[in-house]
């Protein structure tokens, strides 16, 4: 293959790679959220990622706003930050899944850097919580405070919009609930019911073959003893 042919074939690939890079670059600059589970009502661990400062200024604080559909969160310890959860009073008391009456909800998680995060370096923050029972988009507005200035990642795209906002709030889709409950255990016992007869049958087969094996062993022992006795008589 000639050099001219190789160059001609490589040009479209290089162009496609450049387009992909340009399309991915703006997204990588955002504060993003990645859930470990998206099913409605499930427990999940959200990972918030921040990869740059405010126009070059180091990041010293990340404030994550919790949607109104969620009342309780558990942030993971982050060795480079002090973490604080702030609460707000509810307009009316509500009852949680365990029957406890709640008069306030956990509204924000504030991560304050012990040493400001340099521009161009990435950090991540994990939060455990239970997802709402309803499907749909769940957004977590984030305020990124830097040594100089701040960036508010709080814009949500209107329904049906084709373009992403300039400073989008980290968000993901809560999907349809599965047959599993919130803790990931099966909600029905059908599987156990189906396996019980098979287990009983396998035990019966085991006992049968065990008896056959024992019988064969006894017959072998008798045959051996008889042969030994006959041999002694001939001697």
């Amino acid at each position: 293959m000639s050099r001219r042919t190789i160059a001609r074939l490589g040009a479209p690939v290089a162009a496609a790679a450049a387009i992909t890079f340009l399309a991915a670059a703006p997204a990588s600059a955002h504060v993003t959220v990645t859930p470990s589970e998206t099913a409605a009502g499930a427990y999940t661990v959200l990972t918030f990622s921040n990869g740059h400062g405010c126009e070059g200024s180091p990041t010293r604080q990340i404030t994550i706003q919790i949607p109104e559909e969620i009342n309780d969160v558990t942030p993971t310890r982050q060795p480079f930050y002090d973490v604080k959860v702030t609460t707000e009073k509810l307009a009316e008391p509500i009852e949680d899944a365990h029957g406890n009456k709640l008069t306030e909800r956990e509204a924000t998680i504030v991560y304050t850097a012990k040493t400001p995060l340099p521009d161009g370096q990435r950090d991540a923050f994990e939060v455990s919580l239970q997802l709402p029972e309803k499907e749909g988009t769940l957004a977590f507005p984030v305020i990124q405070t830097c040594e100089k200035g701040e960036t508010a990642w709080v814009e949500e795209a209107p329904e049906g919009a084709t373009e992403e906002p300039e400073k989008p709030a980290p968000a993901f889709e809560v999907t349809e609930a599965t047959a599993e409950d919130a803790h990931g255990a099966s909600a029905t016992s059908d599987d156990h019911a189906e396996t019980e007869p098979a287990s009983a049958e396998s035990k019966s087969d085991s006992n049968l073959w065990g008896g056959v094996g024992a019988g064969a062993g006894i017959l072998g022992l008798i045959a051996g003893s008889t042969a030994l006795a006959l041999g002694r008589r001939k001697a």
Side-chain angles (χ1 to χ4, degrees):
M1 187 180 293
S2 67
R3 293 182 180 179
R4 183 175 299 178
T5 302
I6 294 173
R8 190 164 54 243
L9 292 174
V13 176
I19 292 171
T20 302
F21 175 79
L22 290 173
S28 65
H30 300 160
V31 174
T32 61
V33 60
T34 305
S36 63
E37 174 62 64
T38 61
Y43 284 92
T44 187
V45 175
L46 307 181
T47 301
F48 293 85
S49 299
N50 170 53
H52 67 92
C54 307
E55 297 184 358
S57 179
T59 301
R60 63 180 181 83
Q61 193 172 80
I62 292 289
T63 301
I64 302 170
Q65 300 176 12
I66 308 303
E68 292 182 356
E69 300 93 327
I70 297 171
N71 298 308
D72 182 60
V73 295
T74 304
T76 300
R77 293 178 63 184
Q78 229 280 15
F80 301 106
Y81 296 77
D82 293 320
V83 59
K84 179 181 179 182
V85 177
T86 66
T87 60
E88 67 178 14
K89 287 192 175 296
L90 295 170
E92 295 181 4
I94 61 173
E95 194 172 279
D96 66 11
H98 303 287
N100 302 315
K101 182 179 284 189
L102 302 177
T103 59
E104 60 182 21
R105 62 179 290 269
E106 295 178 342
T108 65
I109 305 172
V110 182
Y111 286 92
T112 303
K114 297 175 181 177
T115 300
L117 176 67
D119 178 52
Q121 291 188 15
R122 176 184 173 277
D123 226 331
F125 313 88
E126 292 184 343
V127 180
S128 172
L129 52 84
Q130 184 177 10
L131 295 174
E133 300 291 342
K134 186 179 179 181
E135 301 170 37
T137 303
L138 196 61
F140 294 78
V142 171
I143 304 297
Q144 178 186 3
T145 305
C146 299
E147 290 188 325
K148 294 181 180 179
E150 71 175 26
T151 303
W153 303 97
V154 299
E155 298 175 12
E156 297 184 39
E159 188 174 351
T162 57
E163 294 185 3
E164 187 180 57
E166 184 181 354
K167 295 182 175 65
F172 63 92
E173 291 295 318
V174 176
T175 57
E176 183 181 0
T178 63
E180 297 183 346
D181 63 16
H183 295 281
S186 176
T188 64
S189 57
D190 293 345
D191 293 340
H192 298 292
E194 291 176 1
T195 57
E196 285 178 2
S199 297
E201 185 178 349
S202 62
K203 286 182 180 178
S204 175
D205 291 344
S206 229
N207 291 337
L208 174 62
W209 287 109
V212 171
I218 293 172
L219 290 175
L221 181 62
I222 292 173
S225 300
T226 302
L228 180 62
L230 290 174
R232 286 180 178 176
R233 286 181 182 178
K234 289 180 180 181

